[in-house]
């Protein structure tokens, strides 16, 4: 049987139960404050990032070359000869292109790499789908074909109480942010087909936002579709659970479902209070 490792970056917000599985490796993004740099989900949590936001909004940057090299050495030492690499959108992070250089250069492995054009739990669900297929004994090419399909059949929407942090991180224009702030609107952000952020709608408050996200999920899912669901939240577990309940009450139930705290790197750009929903067809 082929020995395939699944490699993700920490912006994929891979659920903890999958991170614990053998054959899954996570590259931490870097979160830089003026006096110290932390590794995303390794020595800093999203809650800690949120707590510090009023004082300082840190910068996020790619996994270091050193940490990529260390992870690849670990994968080789663990006996894997093939890598299925899944990254968040190259339109939002340079990780995919940086990592590709290392993978192309490393003749210890046969590698397939994917720019999901998605972010957070949407990319995480694609990695989960890949790992499930690896565990079923599928070949690297079979897994790659399925991942390609999942990337084309994925959606993510997240509703956030304020655009302040997206603006601070340069992810959205000051004008869009100011308009949202004046009207107390909760913007719903999604990824374009090219993998950049766009505002899909502006809801009057988070409650209305959750209703609108239900509508997007209903539009995306057809009868007979098999799919996974991921809910992301910004230090609001009850809000995440409520979003899942809304989906269930409307007959939307995934083959697998996950509710996860958004990771620190995304938390920097969205701030606390976010509720997000991702659906990936399988």
């Amino acid at each position: 049987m082929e020995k395939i490792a699944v490699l993700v970056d920490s912006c994929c917000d891979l659920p903890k139960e999958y991170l614990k599985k053998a054959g899954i490796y996570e590259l931490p993004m870097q979160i830089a404050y003026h006096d110290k740099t932390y590794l995303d989900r390794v020595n800093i949590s999203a809650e800690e990032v949120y707590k510090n936001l009023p004082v300082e909004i840190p910068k996020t940057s790619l996994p270091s070359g050193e940490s990529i090299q260390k992870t690849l050495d670990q994968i080789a030492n663990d006996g894997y000869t093939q890598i299925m690499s899944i990254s968040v959108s190259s339109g939002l992070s340079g990780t995919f292109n940086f990592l590709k250089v290392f993978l192309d250069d490393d003749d210890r492995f046969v590698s397939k790499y994917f720019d999901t054009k998605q972010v957070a739990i949407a990319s995480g669900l694609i990695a989960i789908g890949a790992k499930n297929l690896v565990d079923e004994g599928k070949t690297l090419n079979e897994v790659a074909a399925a991942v390609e399909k999942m990337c084309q059949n994925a959606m993510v929407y997240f509703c956030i109480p304020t655009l302040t942090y997206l603006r601070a991180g340069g992810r959205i224009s000051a004008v869009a942010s100011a308009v949202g702030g004046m009207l107390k609107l909760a913007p719903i952000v999604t990824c374009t087909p090219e993998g950049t952020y766009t505002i899909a709608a502006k809801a009057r408050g988070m409650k209305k936002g959750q209703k609108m996200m239900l509508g997007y999920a209903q539009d995306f899912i057809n009868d007979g579709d098999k799919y996974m669901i991921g809910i992301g939240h910004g230090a609001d577990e009850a809000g995440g659970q409520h979003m899942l309940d809304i989906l269930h009450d409307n007959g939307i139930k995934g083959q697998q479902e996950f509710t996860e705290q958004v990771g620190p790197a995304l938390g920097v750009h969205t701030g606390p209070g976010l509720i997000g929903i991702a659906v990936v067809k399988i």
Side-chain angles (χ1 to χ4, degrees):
M1 200 166 101
E2 298 183 7
K3 273 208 91 175
I4 306 168
V6 176
L7 180 60
V8 297
D9 62 67
S10 61
C11 277
C12 291
D13 285 349
L14 198 66
K16 286 178 210 65
E17 64 200 82
Y18 269 76
L19 275 180
K20 289 180 190 144
K21 285 178 181 270
I24 289 237
Y25 298 84
E26 184 181 60
L27 291 168
M29 307 293 274
Q30 299 181 83
I31 296 179
Y33 287 89
H34 70 283
D35 58 348
K36 190 173 176 187
T37 297
Y38 295 88
L39 295 178
D40 186 28
R41 287 168 41 120
V42 175
N43 58 3
I44 191 166
S45 71
E47 286 82 356
E48 289 168 302
V49 168
Y50 294 151
K51 211 168 69 194
N52 288 326
L53 283 176
V55 182
E56 184 183 357
I57 299 175
K59 301 266 183 283
T60 56
S61 62
L62 313 183
S64 67
E66 189 191 352
S67 79
I68 292 175
Q69 197 52 62
K70 220 164 97 179
T71 304
L72 293 179
D73 291 346
Q74 180 70 57
I75 292 172
N77 290 342
D78 290 345
Y80 292 93
T81 52
Q82 302 183 327
I83 294 177
M84 170 57 60
S85 174
I86 288 163
S87 306
V88 292
S89 174
S90 62
L92 297 168
S93 161
T95 308
F96 171 75
N97 289 315
F98 189 43
L99 179 55
K100 190 165 162 266
V101 173
F102 282 81
L103 292 172
D104 283 342
D105 217 27
D106 200 322
D107 52 17
R108 293 175 295 180
F109 309 104
V110 175
S111 300
K112 300 269 186 192
Y113 33 73
F114 286 88
D115 172 359
T116 60
K117 304 274 193 240
Q118 297 290 340
V119 72
I121 188 74
S123 301
L125 289 178
I126 292 168
I128 285 168
K131 178 61 176 159
N132 292 345
L133 293 167
V134 168
D135 290 349
E136 284 168 25
K138 300 281 192 247
T139 66
L140 188 66
N141 285 338
E142 286 170 328
V143 178
V147 168
E148 190 153 347
K149 219 167 129 191
M150 284 189 277
C151 290
Q152 288 159 5
N153 286 288
M155 63 151 242
V156 67
Y157 287 91
F158 48 93
C159 190
I160 46 180
T162 171
L163 281 170
T164 307
Y165 304 108
L166 273 178
R167 186 183 70 188
R171 297 299 193 275
I172 213 152
S173 79
V175 176
S177 165
V179 170
M182 280 185 317
L183 302 173
K184 287 280 176 262
L185 293 174
I188 297 176
V189 180
T190 187
C191 286
T192 64
E194 296 72 48
T196 55
Y197 284 146
T198 185
I199 296 179
K202 294 191 184 87
R204 290 200 174 275
M206 292 294 290
K207 239 188 185 139
K208 190 83 202 298
Q210 288 189 308
K211 266 207 181 100
M212 290 170 85
M213 289 195 293
L214 163 67
Y216 291 130
Q218 286 170 322
D219 291 346
F220 182 71
I221 295 163
N222 305 308
D223 278 354
D225 278 345
K226 284 186 173 176
Y227 51 87
M228 296 180 284
I229 290 173
I231 304 290
H233 64 84
D236 183 4
E237 211 168 317
Q241 188 52 53
H242 180 59
M243 185 72 238
L244 195 57
D245 292 342
I246 292 173
L247 295 176
H248 289 169
D249 291 346
N250 287 275
I252 293 176
K253 195 155 179 22
Q255 310 285 113
Q256 283 179 284
E257 298 181 332
F258 304 90
T259 303
E260 285 291 313
Q261 162 67 49
V262 164
L266 185 66
V268 167
H269 296 134
T270 53
L274 161 148
I275 301 291
I277 165 173
V279 180
V280 173
K281 295 180 187 175
I282 46 177

